[in-house]
Amino acid sequence: QVQLVESGGGLAQAGGSLRLSCAASGHTASSYSMAWFRQAPGKGREFVAAVGYSGDVTLYTKSVEGRFTISRDVAKDTVYLQMNSLKPEDTAVYYCAARPGNPAVVPAPYEYWGQGTEVTVSS
């Protein structure tokens, strides 16, 4: 079992920044690929970014490339999502997810999920 706890969400103005954190604990959490997904009201869960278990592979959805950065601190079993140049369309609940093996860009392969943290970007 892997437990994931997100933090860092909140309210930001357009053009501002927020940093999300996802603390992982449990069995071999450091050997899992980690990802961030988001879900806006009335929409499906959307891939945002992922990082491989060693931190050397990162994936992003096009709409956040150049604005968001995913990273992980293996020693702390924590994954971060630095979000810069925020836009109102980034407003969503952001979820952290984990899976053994390589990162994926769809939700289904991820076995473990956090409870979500809400991000609201005002214009």
Side-chain angles (χ1 to χ4, degrees), residues 8-20 38-41 64 67-68 81-94 117-123:
L11 178 64
Q13 289 189 331
S17 298
L18 285 173
R19 189 176 81 154
L20 307 183
R38 65 187 179 187
Q39 189 163 13
V64 308
R67 300 189 298 122
F68 291 9
L81 185 67
Q82 178 66 44
M83 305 187 295
N84 299 328
S85 302
L86 283 163
K87 303 176 180 180
E89 51 263 45
D90 294 320
T91 295
V93 177
Y94 283 71
T117 185
E118 191 164 1
V119 171
T120 302
V121 183
S122 62
S123 57

Side-chain angles (χ1 to χ4, degrees), residues 5-85:
V5 178
E6 303 102 331
S7 61
L11 178 64
Q13 289 189 331
S17 298
L18 285 173
R19 189 176 81 154
L20 307 183
S21 299
C22 174
S25 61
H27 181 59
T28 60
S30 60
S31 65
Y32 282 60
S33 289
M34 306 288 290
W36 289 95
F37 288 79
R38 65 187 179 187
Q39 189 163 13
K43 295 190 176 181
R45 197 159 292 191
E46 175 193 26
F47 170 76
V48 178
V51 59
Y53 54 86
S54 62
D56 58 346
V57 174
T58 56
L59 304 170
Y60 297 93
T61 191
K62 267 200 182 310
S63 63
V64 308
E65 278 184 349
R67 300 189 298 122
F68 291 9
T69 302
I70 189 170
S71 61
R72 71 186 301 165
D73 184 330
V74 175
K76 294 183 178 179
D77 271 342
T78 300
V79 174
Y80 304 98
L81 185 67
Q82 178 66 44
M83 305 187 295
N84 299 328
S85 302

